[in-house]
Amino acid sequence: MVRNIDIALLRAFTAAAEQRSMTAASQILHLTQGAISQQVARLEALVGAPLFFRERRGLRLTPLGERLLDKAGRLLALNDEIWTDIQGGAINGIARFGVPYDLVGTLIAPALKAFAQECPQVELSLVCEASETLARNVARGELDFGVLEEPAANAKGECLAVDRLVWAGTRGGVAHTKNPLPVSLVAETCAFKPAVLSALEQQGREWRTVFENGTLDATMATVRADLAISAWLSSTVPADLEILGPAAGLPDLPAFAITLHLPDRPLSPAARELVRHIRHAMTRPHQGT
């Protein structure tokens, strides 16, 4: 007997597998945690075996789940392709979105490349600003959506990944030993600034600003010249710079979430497809730390 697997069940299973959490999957699919759990349970009943090991640290795929995940991803991609074709063929229009400076060339670039190849008729309009500014622009309708950086403890958007905020300096540099500590941040409205200043205050460390003028290249230049240190997500630290560990005597910094902020209104087909590409690129198990 041939059994049919509902696409909705595969979406719930795939999201839970990629996020390793029913709760995180529910945020991505805009469903309740209970609904995600029920859909996964229905799929497990259909295949006749567990797809996850439920552990304290989250979900872990069983061998059957691992085999199913790859096939489910291919089937979902084909399903989306078929519906795109049925609903009018090639996607066109404009997708307006915002991303902080430090995410563009690292985490977001692969999604943009894949999107441009699949949707060459879409005109991309990218705005690079601090997360606070991008959130306002999305709320005002000036952007279709934004990818922001927020403290993981109280993030408001849909979580795409979580990363460590770390100190970075030039290799073999001495800027981190100076007093007051020279700190270079991209902008006065940098999402990391409150966390950085709070950590320094709790340590009782004096500091001074070297640069806060909105240019990532200038911030990198001050750090490379050993004029200052900075704070970045660990996955975005340039390869030629060094993550300063506990031996540097600097205070620990909190984890940050990379989040998706969507407007209350429906997205255009172009923006919706770009969001799908970004989710796919960002919600891989290896992205979070």
Side-chain angles (χ1 to χ4, degrees):
M1 181 179 66
V2 177
R3 295 182 178 180
N4 296 321
I5 299 180
D6 193 317
I7 290 293
L9 303 187
L10 290 180
R11 288 201 189 281
F13 162 70
T14 301
E18 292 174 346
Q19 293 297 306
R20 301 177 182 176
S21 164
M22 298 291 184
T23 301
S26 70
Q27 294 173 351
I28 289 178
L29 297 180
H30 302 289
L31 298 170
T32 65
Q33 179 181 347
I36 297 294
S37 298
Q38 290 175 6
Q39 288 177 331
V40 170
R42 286 175 56 197
L43 184 58
E44 289 180 322
L46 189 60
V47 301
L51 297 173
F52 294 105
F53 296 112
R54 275 77 170 174
E55 301 175 341
R56 291 184 61 185
R57 298 182 61 182
L59 301 175
R60 182 167 61 88
L61 288 168
T62 64
L64 175 61
E66 291 177 353
R67 296 201 305 273
L68 179 59
L69 179 60
D70 178 64
K71 294 179 174 62
R74 283 184 281 161
L75 182 57
L76 290 174
L78 179 59
N79 175 80
D80 293 342
E81 180 182 338
I82 290 173
W83 275 108
T84 296
D85 183 66
I86 291 175
Q87 294 174 341
I91 297 175
N92 53 36
I94 301 175
R96 306 167 303 163
F97 66 108
V99 181
Y101 301 94
D102 57 315
L103 296 184
V104 174
T106 53
L107 302 182
I108 299 299
L112 297 184
K113 181 179 180 181
F115 178 80
Q117 290 174 342
E118 293 186 22
C119 304
Q121 297 182 6
V122 173
E123 179 182 341
L124 294 178
S125 177
L126 171 63
V127 174
C128 288
E129 285 285 356
S131 293
E132 179 182 335
T133 301
L134 294 177
R136 289 198 301 266
N137 291 347
V138 172
R140 293 171 181 168
E142 297 171 4
L143 295 173
D144 291 321
F145 67 91
V147 177
L148 278 58
E149 296 161 325
E150 303 180 89
N154 56 1
K156 298 178 181 179
E158 173 190 322
C159 182
L160 298 176
V162 176
D163 202 353
R164 295 178 301 128
L165 185 62
V166 297
W167 297 102
T170 192
R171 294 188 181 279
V174 297
H176 67 278
T177 67
K178 296 181 179 179
N179 191 37
L181 182 70
V183 178
S184 180
L185 298 174
V186 175
E188 186 177 354
T189 54
C190 174
F192 305 147
K193 185 175 181 178
V196 167
L197 298 190
S198 176
L200 292 173
E201 182 179 353
Q202 290 181 22
Q203 190 187 55
R205 184 74 176 267
E206 294 185 8
W207 64 278
R208 63 183 178 87
T209 298
V210 174
F211 178 81
E212 287 184 5
N213 202 31
T215 305
L216 181 60
D217 288 343
T219 296
M220 289 183 177
T222 61
V223 176
R224 288 188 173 111
D226 201 24
L227 299 176
I229 64 171
S230 190
W232 281 310
L233 297 181
S234 64
S235 58
T236 67
V237 175
D240 62 317
L241 298 181
E242 180 181 15
I243 293 178
L244 301 172
L250 298 169
D252 290 336
L253 297 173
F256 266 69
I258 300 172
T259 60
L260 178 66
H261 282 244
L262 300 172
D264 295 332
R265 62 188 182 282
L267 292 175
S268 68
R272 187 168 60 249
E273 184 65 10
L274 178 55
V275 166
R276 186 180 73 82
H277 275 75
I278 290 176
R279 281 186 177 131
H280 180 76
M282 294 287 295
T283 58
R284 300 290 95 188
H286 66 271
Q287 290 285 357
T289 58

